[in-house]
Amino acid sequence: MAADQDNETGSTQHTLDELGVGSMDLLRFATAGSVDDGKSTLIGRLLLDSKAIFEDQLEAVEATSQSKGYDYTDLALLTDGLRSEREQGITIDVAYRYFATPSRKFIIADTPGHVQYTRNMVTGASTADLGLVLVDARQGLTEQSRRHAVLLSLLRVPHMVLAINKMDLVDYDQAVFDRIHREFTSFATKLSIPDLEVIPISALKGDNVVTRSEHMPWYQGSSLMHHLENVHVASDRDLIDARLPVQYVVRPKSDEFHDYRGYAGQVAGGVFKPGDEVIVLPSGLTSRIAGIDLFDREVAEAFPPMSVTLRLEDDVDVSRGDMIARVKNAPKPSQDIDAMVCWMTNKPLQPRQKLAIKHTTRTGRALVKDVQYRLDVNTLHRDQDAGELGLNEIGRVQLRTTVPLLCDPYAKNRTTGSFILIDEATGVTVGAGMIT
Amino acid sequence: MQVPPRRLDRASGAGTLPGSAPVAFTEPVTEGRHRHPMTVTHADYRLSQLDQLEAESIHIFREVAAEFEKPVLMFSGGKDSIVMMRLAEKAFYPAKIPFPVLQVDTGYDFPEVLETRDNWVNRLGTRLIVASVEQAIADGVVVDDGKTSRNRLQIGTLLHAIEEEGFTAAFGGGRRDEEKARAKERVYSHRDDFGQWDPKNQRPELWSLYNGRIHGGEHMRVFPLSNWTELDIWHYLAQEQVEIPSIYYSHQRRVFLRDGMLLSESEHNPCKPGEEVVEKTVRFRTVGDLTLTGCVESEADTIEKIIEEIAVARVTERGATRGDDRFSEAAMEDRKKEGYF
């Protein structure tokens, strides 16, 4: 519509505008379900029906299905990536899938549902706006579906969809749907799930996946795709508490930009504007924002998740790992950290253990002071005698860090409230923490 | 002191630049050090998905530049690596890109691609390192048995160059939508002493907290375009209006049909008996070793037309035009394990 005003490249812009590129937004969602819940089939169907699957991919899958003697095309084959998975017929790792409708692009973190792969589910959920949990209508809620809901709640995924699948195998019976729905909502009262949608579907037959099903006239809600396209995620960000973890100091040292000194980073919360009075942590020095640069332009405001470069009016000492915040609203630097930790390696997490920690752009070392309890993700029981956390276990841990972390509670800000723990000998990521 | 940027009415949407954020012109900033002294505002603090992808990728570039001693950007001259160059340019502006650019020259590269590479490198004033497959063959680093493709020989050449120069992180243009094995690869993809990828033993990658720990001799492959799709790449190129190799646009070319692919006539790729060279109006969807990279018949001579074409294309870009991925269903996975891009 505005193409005429920008004369330089008017024709290009007009075409792009027609394609809706400028207004298309993004939804990241994580899927979870057991091997037999039909998750891969559902994803295959979403990709197929949104035309994200190409002819050659579909042909390869049809050929494989035929050679295996299946009665129908196994859409799960579309998403099973690694050779060992194809051989074993299971999904073993987080895989990312992409599809788009005219209004939204979707990134799916497709995570396996088995017991031993909690870490993958946590990984997938860490960046998700929405969590999609599948249950088999014939089985009802299982230990695993409860666990998935608990993990989504723990990871503060703001939206959740419970898709009750295989409705075709229970004659599209409303009573089955109602029973599972009731059972789940009663369980969910103990969790933090701000937005829940329960949808009866058949991934195999396509009921309520993209279009409303004719087989379930008793269901008045949206199809899954309609819900995914319309769920409101823009308000999920924290636009109040301004936070910029400094990633990199830009110093061109060129004749043209001789005195330029900019602090580059991705805004983690709030809105920054030129003229704002800011504080640099942990030093506590204050200054004002002289300008906010986005490549070769100046912008009037910076908000999450923009990657920008801030210039300050005063020549204060700022380096990587520092945090720029508003003077009257800054996180408190702390070396004593209480967090929920998901442990991701065989050797258990134990008191007195030393680990490397990465929080925003800050790295340091951490000493495990105490494992206060282990959370049973099936019953939500807190085992205070656990003393340690094994692989795929989650619990509350007290850490003492060598450097102060400039953090917020995870419930308030998923970026400034999260950290990873790294084994110093192997360099492997062994834990994921959410600050309480 | 600068003139504070004037805020425009956010709700009006005036001056909307499709494909990016609404842009509003203000009075020039007095210091005048920016080439485009304009102010960008965003209705409702929303970013388009393309702007979100850009922000995420820039974050990755800055993280690597800050945490790794010797990063390098692997530049093929193809559209994905051009988007990488553009993002790197934005990430560090007004400073230069703080790492060199590495290109593996198969000896069978399209001249148009090398020309674009040189133009980019010159414009950004960055250092170009060329690792030549021919040189690697001459030096005995890799063995040309006459049966192995140049794409495959690139692996050894690349790993040798990374080891020789001591690079600790190498940016690659791989996207997860390209192929099933790539869909599972991390943004930071750890490579062992032999440059190999171990798909079953990948580090968990949470939030945007990337773990850059490596031991001596190991390196990290970094994929800043992991979450981009082919269509995103083209939308971005259209938005950014930057130079890409001319072979992406429709042109006349002498081609022949082999294994269902249209290949370019070339001294490196002699016709076999029964193969007939004809002139067609074609363009390339990917850029690689010219003996293996097929073109498609197309009239698309602008990015906008290419986007329209892709939006309705029914065959994946690799499936359509890359001979090296067609040998087996697990071809990409095998090459990646060995240390391919």
Side-chain angles (χ1 to χ4, degrees), chain A residues 166-214:
Chain A
K166 306 197 183 180
M167 286 302 292
D168 53 317
L169 299 182
V170 296
D171 298 326
Y172 301 105
D173 183 357
Q174 183 179 6
V176 174
F177 172 80
D178 286 344
R179 182 170 47 75
I180 299 173
H181 189 169
R182 262 198 316 274
E183 198 186 338
F184 186 82
T185 32
S186 116
F187 172 71
T189 52
K190 296 177 230 165
L191 305 175
S192 164
I193 300 172
D195 171 40
L196 171 69
E197 191 79 17
V198 186
I199 306 176
I201 65 166
S202 164
L204 191 65
K205 301 281 169 65
D207 294 286
N208 284 336
V209 176
V210 173
T211 47
R212 287 272 303 276
S213 168
E214 291 169 8

Side-chain angles (χ1 to χ4, degrees), chain B residues 244-283:
Chain B
I244 59 170
S246 57
I247 61 171
Y248 279 117
Y249 301 110
S250 173
H251 60 285
Q252 294 294 116
R253 181 172 290 267
R254 290 174 57 79
V255 295
F256 62 91
L257 194 67
R258 177 181 294 168
D259 301 333
M261 284 194 300
L262 281 180
L263 295 178
S264 191
E265 181 189 38
S266 154
E267 49 174 320
H268 302 303
N269 205 17
C271 283
K272 292 173 186 165
E275 291 174 343
E276 188 195 349
V277 175
V278 287
E279 187 162 301
K280 285 188 185 287
T281 307
V282 298
R283 64 175 208 88

Side-chain angles (χ1 to χ4, degrees), chain A residues 102-345:
Chain A
S103 61
R104 224 169 220 183
K105 172 176 165 174
F106 300 90
I107 301 179
I108 314 175
D110 178 12
T111 67
H114 333 296
V115 176
Q116 65 268 42
Y117 289 112
T118 297
R119 73 170 208 180
N120 292 327
M121 164 96 207
V122 169
T123 302
S126 72
T127 52
D129 304 307
L130 179 146
L132 173 62
V133 176
L134 257 98
V135 298
D136 184 330
R138 296 168 305 173
Q139 311 285 324
L141 288 189
T142 59
E143 192 175 296
Q144 230 173 79
S145 31
R146 287 193 188 88
R147 176 174 27 243
H148 292 146
V150 169
L151 293 175
L152 290 172
S153 152
L154 204 63
L155 271 289
R156 300 275 165 178
V157 177
H159 308 273
M160 186 175 150
V161 172
L162 179 72
I164 300 175
N165 192 21
K166 306 197 183 180
M167 286 302 292
D168 53 317
L169 299 182
V170 296
D171 298 326
Y172 301 105
D173 183 357
Q174 183 179 6
V176 174
F177 172 80
D178 286 344
R179 182 170 47 75
I180 299 173
H181 189 169
R182 262 198 316 274
E183 198 186 338
F184 186 82
T185 32
S186 116
F187 172 71
T189 52
K190 296 177 230 165
L191 305 175
S192 164
I193 300 172
D195 171 40
L196 171 69
E197 191 79 17
V198 186
I199 306 176
I201 65 166
S202 164
L204 191 65
K205 301 281 169 65
D207 294 286
N208 284 336
V209 176
V210 173
T211 47
R212 287 272 303 276
S213 168
E214 291 169 8
H215 298 114
M216 291 175 272
W218 46 265
Y219 173 70
Q220 299 300 316
S222 317
S223 71
L224 176 62
M225 184 75 103
H226 184 266
H227 182 68
L228 294 174
E229 271 193 294
N230 291 288
V231 60
H232 181 70
V233 292
S235 312
D236 297 337
R237 292 164 303 166
D238 174 5
L239 291 172
I240 306 295
D241 309 295
R243 305 280 186 264
L244 183 92
V246 176
Q247 268 191 290
Y248 191 90
V249 181
V250 178
R251 298 228 47 194
K253 295 174 188 160
S254 62
D255 292 340
E256 194 190 347
F257 297 98
H258 195 268
D259 295 321
Y260 187 98
R261 194 181 173 92
Y263 308 107
Q266 189 165 20
V267 181
V271 180
F272 289 95
K273 294 182 180 130
D276 281 353
E277 206 184 335
V278 291
I279 183 165
V280 180
L281 296 170
S283 70
L285 296 169
T286 58
S287 183
R288 274 177 199 280
I289 297 176
I292 304 172
D293 296 332
L294 189 71
F295 185 38
D296 57 1
R297 296 170 182 175
E298 287 204 47
V299 294
E301 54 207 0
F303 52 87
M306 287 170 76
S307 279
V308 294
T309 304
L310 293 193
R311 284 174 286 113
L312 300 183
E313 284 182 1
D314 307 286
D315 198 8
V316 293
D317 184 31
V318 183
S319 53
R320 174 176 169 83
D322 290 355
M323 171 90 74
I324 298 176
R326 299 289 293 275
V327 171
K328 287 183 181 142
N329 176 356
K332 229 181 228 118
S334 172
Q335 286 177 259
D336 290 296
I337 307 295
D338 284 327
M340 293 302 290
V341 169
C342 173
W343 195 244
M344 302 178 155
T345 194

Side-chain angles (χ1 to χ4, degrees), chain A residues 383-395:
Chain A
D383 180 0
Q384 278 158 0
D385 302 322
E388 61 176 42
L389 293 181
L391 173 66
N392 288 313
E393 290 182 341
I394 294 173

